[in-house]
Amino acid sequence: MWTKVPASNSPVSCPNCGQITHIETIQTDGEGSAAGVILGGAAGGVIGNQIGKGHGKTAARILGAIGGALIGNQVEKTR
């Protein structure tokens, strides 16, 4: 139900109304999703694939994918 408020500067009596006395800004970390992990992991795997030969290349690819996934998740949380 809407009620019309008088156009005067005098205070209006309202038993259900409150008064804002303080406003505080709170900054929180964002939430990550699978997109940051997947894209970061894919990018890390591609970069890791450019390093080494044989088993070293495989290890670099795996470490790159894991590192990229972790970094991608953190980047997504900050946006």
Side-chain angles (χ1 to χ4, degrees):
M1 182 170 137
W2 294 90
T3 58
K4 190 171 184 179
V5 177
S8 68
N9 289 334
S10 63
V12 177
S13 175
C14 177
N16 297 326
C17 296
Q19 181 178 10
I20 298 173
T21 59
H22 180 74
I23 296 176
E24 184 177 341
T25 303
I26 300 173
Q27 186 173 11
T28 60
D29 289 336
E31 295 182 18
S33 69
V37 173
I38 292 170
L39 292 174
V46 169
I47 293 169
N49 193 44
Q50 307 300 315
I51 300 170
K53 294 179 183 177
H55 292 297
K57 186 175 218 156
T58 302
R61 188 181 313 135
I62 292 169
L63 290 175
I66 292 170
L70 293 173
I71 292 170
N73 189 32
Q74 287 301 317
V75 168
E76 188 176 29
K77 285 182 179 181
T78 60
R79 293 184 182 249

